[in-house]
Amino acid sequence: MPKLPNIVAPSILSADFSKLGQEVKEVLSAGADWIHFDVMDNHFVPNLTVGPMVCKSLRDADIDCPIDVHLMVEPVDDLIKMFADSGATSITFHPEASKNIEQSIQLIQDLGCKPGLVLNPDVSLKVLEPFLQELYMVLLMSVFPGFGGQDFIPETISKISSLRKIIDEMQKDIRLEVDGGIKESNIFDVSSAGADTFVAGSAIFNKSSYVDAIQSLKNNFN
Ligand code: DX5
Ligand code: ZN
């Protein structure tokens, strides 16, 4: 089955929040495909970020690209509803944060968004098995979530290859997204292992030229 087109999704976690709308517009005009919207609740993860109102204000500011909402919150269902109402395109959540994974996936679908599950580095691919048929995307964390700017955990590469095999055998177009520590020097390996959707925070927003940063990520795809 042919691989899906590659996507670069800058994580707003590393953006300058005092001018978020402008930052998002700049990365989009610099070649970003999606925006990755990290939601942290100071409970499921230690950090606290932004909620549905901020997503809605980006939509109100005419940002019309896909917004990929990554929920690092527990529980998930109320926020799924709020983000669906606030313009989210895809919504991913961590299975351990939902009381009923099947229902949360169904809820995302019923509300017109695309569902995905996120696995932390220490969570086995086996957890996905009962749900894979229903998913638009699987997000593999290559750091423990909570903060931007961490180092990519190298063991993620073999996990990506294993998931790529599972997805290919299913003959279903499920996006394989990777999040955490992605940069110019490792995106070739991540892409070669079979990922097609690449989140990058510090590798884009901490650079002076977003065009150069995004281009050098894209230049290094396999
Ligand atoms: C980590 C977040 C990531 C993170 C990526 O908890 O889910 O999206 O911000 O940032 P970098 O690319 O700097 O690791
Ligand atoms: Zn994320």
Side-chain angles (χ1 to χ4, degrees):
M1 208 153 171
K3 223 175 131 187
L4 293 168
N6 287 320
I7 294 289
V8 171
S11 156
I12 60 161
L13 195 57
S14 299
D16 179 345
F17 278 100
S18 72
K19 47 172 185 172
L20 185 60
Q22 194 184 321
E23 288 271 77
V24 166
K25 285 178 183 169
E26 277 178 30
V27 286
L28 289 171
S29 62
D33 305 290
W34 297 359
I35 291 299
H36 183 79
F37 196 101
D38 282 310
V39 185
M40 304 185 184
D41 66 351
N42 180 232
H43 162 71
F44 185 73
V45 290
N47 209 348
L48 180 68
T49 59
V50 286
M53 282 191 294
V54 176
C55 185
K56 170 90 170 40
S57 64
L58 292 178
R59 288 299 189 212
D60 290 345
D62 292 330
I63 285 156
D64 58 6
C65 70
I67 296 184
D68 173 33
V69 173
H70 173 192
L71 293 179
M72 288 161 275
V73 305
E74 185 184 6
V76 294
D77 289 355
D78 285 346
L79 277 165
I80 286 172
K81 289 177 205 145
M82 288 189 252
F83 272 101
D85 282 346
S86 303
T89 308
S90 47
I91 302 180
T92 58
F93 64 94
H94 292 252
E96 59 273 37
S98 169
K99 286 192 196 79
N100 186 322
I101 300 168
E102 182 97 49
Q103 270 177 29
S104 299
I105 292 170
Q106 193 59 50
L107 181 63
I108 296 171
Q109 246 160 9
D110 291 347
L111 293 169
C113 297
K114 297 170 177 179
L117 284 175
V118 193
L119 300 188
N120 272 349
D122 59 353
V123 175
S124 157
L125 292 175
K126 283 204 170 65
V127 172
L128 296 171
E129 255 169 46
F131 311 107
L132 262 181
Q133 279 296 347
E134 316 305 321
L135 297 180
Y136 165 73
M137 180 154 79
V138 175
L139 169 50
L140 296 183
M141 291 307 301
S142 39
V143 299
F144 283 90
F147 300 94
Q150 303 182 70
D151 286 336
F152 182 89
I153 298 173
E155 287 75 18
T156 316
I157 294 290
S158 60
K159 199 172 178 184
I160 298 168
S161 309
S162 306
L163 180 56
R164 177 82 267 157
K165 233 178 119 202
I166 295 170
I167 291 174
D168 286 349
E169 279 166 11
M170 284 175 70
Q171 305 244 29
K172 186 170 180 262
D173 280 341
I174 299 173
R175 283 210 163 268
L176 200 173
E177 183 175 38
V178 180
D179 182 7
I182 302 279
K183 48 191 175 193
E184 193 184 332
S185 58
N186 59 25
I187 199 164
F188 177 81
D189 291 342
V190 175
S191 158
S192 305
D196 51 44
T197 308
F198 307 84
V199 176
S202 47
I204 295 173
F205 284 106
N206 292 2
K207 298 280 166 61
S208 52
S209 162
Y210 298 162
V211 174
D212 291 351
I214 292 171
Q215 202 50 56
S216 48
L217 292 174
K218 292 191 170 182
N219 286 344
N220 283 290
F221 286 149
N222 179 2

